[in-house]
Amino acid sequence: MTELSRRQVILASGAVLIAAPVQARAPGEPASARSRWGLLIDTGKCSAECNVCVETCKAEMGLSGHDRPLTDAQYLRKVNVRDPATGAAHSVPVMCQHCAKPACVDVCPTGASMKRADGIVLVDRHICIGCRYCMMACPYKARSFAHEDQTGQQPYLPRGKGTVEGCTLCVHRIDEGRPPACVEACAAKARGAMLFGDLNDPKSDIAQRVAREATSRIRADLGLEPAIRYQGI
Amino acid sequence: MSSSNAAYTQVRPYTRGWLALMAGFGAVIIVALGAVWHMEHQGHWVTGMTNQVVWGMPHVFAVFLIVAASGALNVASMGSVFGREDYQKLGRLSALLAVALLAGGLAVLVLDLGRPDRLAVAMTHFNFKSIFAWNVILYSGFMAVVGVYLWTMMDWRAGRFYKPAALVAFGWRLVLTTGTGCIFGFLAAREAYGAAVMAPLFIAMSFAYGLAVFILVLSVSFKMTRRPLGGDLSARLLRLLGLFVAANLYFTALLHVTQLYFAGRGGVEAFILWNGGIHTTLFWVGQVGLGGILPLVIAYGGCGHAVRKRAMMASILVVLGGLAQVWVIVIGGQAWPLDLFPGMEVSSTFADGHVHAYAPSAWEVMLGLGGVAVALVIATIGMTALGLLPSGLETATESRGCNN
Ligand code: SF4
């Protein structure tokens, strides 16, 4: 009972919002380094057949495509992983890992690849020259090149032929205080395998779970410190 | 001191041969521009490049030309930095070729950008952490430095700047090629690269490619303008080419031995060296066989053909082998999939976990050849406008060893 009432107090103070886990950013207010947005993905809850997050991402970002899988953009994909020694298999959503030390940002000659103060890695498509060096440098193959004219664009995601793009962690939603589209869809239509939140906020669910439970990061050996963490692989 | 005591003459323009040559290069450039227009208009999906193999044939040509550019300057450096007087007469041509090749390579690189219209952005926004941005500075600086160097070679009043300019240019070309090698060497994500040995390898490559192109341009321009070219000089250049080819082979071997030593890089090594299909063929037959061992045999082996012919043959082989080598590095390195989950089998709708196919489109090849034509046009115009070609070289050197 005491536990509950303390929570209620915090809730009332507005410090934590359960329905919308994130605080919206006021228009004009810059992103702050106080936050470090990240995801915790429980692969145990993620089945190989489920593609909800991928489909939602495509719809949210207006990735209509031309049925050319080799050149169509893909921000989020399910990677089927199988351990040949044990036969253990997983289906893992992989997107831009929003690294603390992003290789794409290091190599980008113009500074078009950039990391926002809150750790979200983005491409400024006004100064991207389409050299694709960031794609060479990204160990996660998280970026796509816009190989042709784009249609069906969303107002919050301008896309242009000849520039490079990738998962923005749905920065347009985060700034409004909403979770990324894939996270929301996974919770609503699938098994809620993704937890979104502020890794820097010790009170957030994600920070607490990361502190409590064993999690891993893809290619942690490269030292890029991704903000996307996984459980079960 | 500078080579001002030698006689230099311009190439006579508007002769039938000159016009035919320029028309030929011009046609290639026009075709290349058409290809660029098509690729940019349609978007890159009409090329062989994908989201897996993001750098294709244009990069093979561009990297080859840029690497050859710095190597082409070596002949000038031999004369000025290392005091080999017999090379001093060739310094002007060497400097001109360096600039021309770099311009050709950069033209290809720029025209293959997704947004070539944003070149101004690339020249005004610099991320100083990026080795690519550093290369932009290194390339433009190279043009300026070699320009000054050429001027000190041509104007006796600038003679006192000759040595310092030569030294700066030599240092600059080494740094430049290191930078080009680091474009690959710094990519930790790609298993085929990510090794410091890429830098010296690229320097060795540049020595070999640059000299090969130099020998070809020298021989052809001398032949076309009916200038005497001594066999001794050809022999000397050929021996030098052999040395550079051997260095290239050595660093290639070092790269692969290093890779084999790294745990976890066995897969990519087997791919390049053993079961990589076209990449393996290009490695062994193109790069090592035609571009490495055969030129060595020609350079140091029997004395069957006239030495000038042998120098030409070896140079052509080095150029072809060089293109194969750059292909293996650029395309082969990307064809091998990224290893997101080491030790695991993976698959996805984004082509994870399997070798990526790449077949260059005709457009890309046209663009690449356009870069070669740009370099040769600049070289021809340079030789026409300025006195860069020695009027003859037959008495320049004395004979050494069995070479004709
Ligand atoms: S493609 Fe664009 S974002 Fe990527 S490195 Fe080049 S300029 Fe930067």
Side-chain angles (χ1 to χ4, degrees):
Chain A
M1 185 63 208
T2 40
E3 179 66 34
L4 232 175
S5 49
R6 194 183 306 143
R7 245 181 101 165
Q8 281 166 332
V9 172
I10 296 170
L11 261 176
S13 75
V16 173
L17 297 169
I18 295 297
V22 195
Q23 190 106 46
R25 200 151 59 84
E29 185 195 329
S32 149
R34 283 191 302 275
S35 307
R36 169 90 168 111
W37 303 114
L39 293 177
L40 177 59
I41 300 175
D42 185 348
T43 59
K45 292 186 182 165
C46 204
S47 73
E49 300 75 47
C50 180
N51 231 10
V52 165
C53 55
V54 175
E55 293 307 326
T56 307
C57 174
K58 280 190 181 148
E60 178 80 13
M61 298 307 207
L63 306 182
S64 46
H66 298 77
D67 271 333
R68 290 192 266 265
L70 290 179
T71 49
D72 282 346
Q74 195 159 349
Y75 295 180
L76 169 58
R77 64 193 193 272
K78 292 288 292 295
V79 178
N80 300 308
V81 186
R82 188 180 162 276
D83 187 342
T86 62
H90 299 277
S91 174
V92 187
V94 175
M95 67 284 278
C96 171
Q97 303 284 299
H98 298 282
C99 307
K101 298 171 188 163
C104 54
V105 172
D106 283 350
V107 303
C108 175
T110 64
S113 283
M114 47 132 178
K115 192 178 73 165
R116 234 169 63 146
D118 54 8
I120 298 176
V121 176
L122 299 169
V123 182
D124 179 343
R125 261 158 278 182
H126 295 289
I127 53 172
C128 170
I129 54 173
C131 67
R132 317 187 285 288
Y133 195 25
C134 53
M135 299 177 77
M136 291 291 283
C138 174
Y140 305 104
K141 207 168 72 170
R143 292 199 155 181
S144 303
F145 181 66
H147 279 81
E148 46 210 307
D149 279 323
Q150 305 298 328
T151 51
Q153 305 213 30
Q154 302 292 357
Y156 42 78
L157 187 80
R159 308 175 59 215
K161 178 174 74 179
T163 57
V164 164
E165 49 192 33
C167 154
T168 65
L169 205 61
C170 282
V171 76
H172 58 285
R173 289 169 139 259
I174 294 177
D175 288 347
E176 292 171 354
R178 295 189 291 150
C182 55
V183 176
E184 194 176 80
C186 181
K189 298 188 206 155
R191 294 167 64 193
M194 299 189 198
L195 177 63
F196 168 74
D198 183 355
L199 290 160
N200 273 359
D201 174 6
K203 291 194 284 296
S204 72
D205 278 358
I206 188 168
Q208 293 187 356
R209 272 187 58 191
V210 165
R212 207 171 49 229
E213 297 163 27
T215 61
S216 59
R217 296 189 266 196
I218 308 177
R219 292 305 308 264
D221 57 317
L222 294 173
L224 308 179
E225 296 174 24
I228 315 295
R229 289 173 178 262
Y230 293 86
Q231 281 184 305
I233 45 168
Chain B
M1 273 315 288
S2 84
S3 45
S4 53
N5 52 347
Y8 296 89
T9 47
Q10 285 149 257
V11 166
R12 201 147 55 87
Y14 311 123
T15 59
R16 217 179 300 155
W18 190 93
L19 285 172
L21 199 66
M22 288 305 246
F25 294 151
V28 176
I29 292 173
I30 288 171
V31 168
L33 288 175
V36 169
W37 187 83
H38 179 69
M39 286 189 283
E40 296 298 334
H41 193 71
Q42 295 291 318
H44 269 61
W45 77 276
V46 296
T47 70
M49 291 177 261
T50 60
N51 279 328
Q52 282 72 42
V53 177
V54 301
W55 286 355
M57 203 61 182
H59 283 78
V60 174
F61 276 95
V63 171
F64 176 87
L65 288 168
I66 290 169
V67 165
S70 66
L73 194 67
N74 273 341
V75 175
S77 303
M78 298 286 291
S80 50
V81 178
F82 300 105
R84 300 283 300 268
E85 282 187 19
D86 33 347
Y87 286 111
Q88 282 186 2
K89 276 187 167 188
L90 302 173
R92 297 179 180 190
L93 179 63
S94 161
L96 169 73
L97 252 190
V99 171
L101 289 168
L102 186 62
L106 290 181
V108 176
L109 208 57
V110 166
L111 291 174
D112 184 56
L113 291 178
R115 297 294 305 261
D117 53 313
R118 289 190 182 161
L119 186 59
V121 174
M123 305 300 278
T124 49
H125 291 66
F126 286 107
N127 166 22
F128 287 104
K129 253 194 130 177
S130 162
I131 187 73
F132 226 43
W134 278 104
N135 275 304
V136 173
I137 298 167
L138 288 173
Y139 296 151
S140 13
F142 184 77
M143 296 263 191
V145 167
V146 176
V148 170
Y149 182 25
L150 187 58
W151 169 60
T152 65
M153 282 191 259
M154 298 186 66
D155 185 350
W156 61 268
R157 283 166 304 182
R160 65 202 155 100
F161 301 118
Y162 173 60
K163 250 299 164 14
L167 278 170
V168 172
F170 180 66
W172 200 284
R173 59 116 10 245
L174 287 181
V175 175
L176 181 135
T177 321
T178 305
T180 314
C182 287
I183 286 183
F184 297 95
F186 285 179
L187 293 176
R190 305 246 167 204
E191 289 173 56
Y193 319 135
V197 69
M198 291 307 266
L201 170 65
F202 267 63
I203 291 178
M205 282 156 58
S206 84
F207 280 27
Y209 306 171
L211 184 57
V213 174
F214 180 86
I215 291 174
L216 289 174
V217 171
L218 178 77
S219 311
V220 172
S221 58
F222 265 54
K223 198 169 182 98
M224 286 188 72
T225 55
R226 299 210 181 84
R227 285 159 210 253
L229 179 63
D232 295 345
L233 184 81
S234 295
R236 196 164 295 191
L237 289 172
L238 178 59
R239 274 203 307 269
L240 195 60
L241 183 65
L243 190 71
F244 292 163
V245 167
N248 187 7
L249 280 174
Y250 170 74
F251 280 108
T252 300
L254 193 60
L255 169 70
H256 291 290
V257 170
T258 314
Q259 288 280 80
L260 286 166
Y261 193 76
F262 274 134
R265 297 237 170 134
V268 69
E269 275 307 295
F271 176 68
I272 299 288
L273 302 180
W274 182 245
N275 55 13
I278 172 84
H279 311 293
T280 305
T281 310
L282 283 174
F283 177 79
W284 288 112
V285 179
Q287 176 184 339
V288 175
L290 295 179
I293 293 169
L294 205 51
L296 277 183
V297 172
I298 294 175
Y300 300 119
C303 301
H305 286 282
V307 69
R308 251 168 298 173
K309 214 176 234 165
R310 277 166 48 213
M312 287 280 276
M313 268 164 18
S315 300
I316 291 172
L317 287 171
V318 170
V319 168
L320 294 177
L323 285 167
Q325 179 170 23
V326 180
W327 169 292
V328 172
I329 293 174
V330 175
I331 314 281
Q334 293 174 86
W336 184 248
L338 287 170
D339 199 5
L340 261 63
F341 301 95
M344 301 285 200
E345 292 167 356
V346 294
S347 65
S348 82
T349 50
F350 208 49
D352 283 277
H354 64 77
V355 168
H356 309 308
Y358 168 78
S361 64
W363 314 111
E364 293 163 84
V365 179
M366 288 179 210
L367 170 56
L369 292 173
V372 177
V374 165
L376 293 176
V377 163
I378 295 175
T380 312
I381 292 177
M383 287 185 244
T384 311
L386 302 168
L388 300 175
L389 272 195
S391 36
L393 289 166
E394 55 190 342
T395 54
T397 57
E398 79 284 3
S399 174
R400 279 182 202 163
C402 159
N403 290 305
N404 2 341

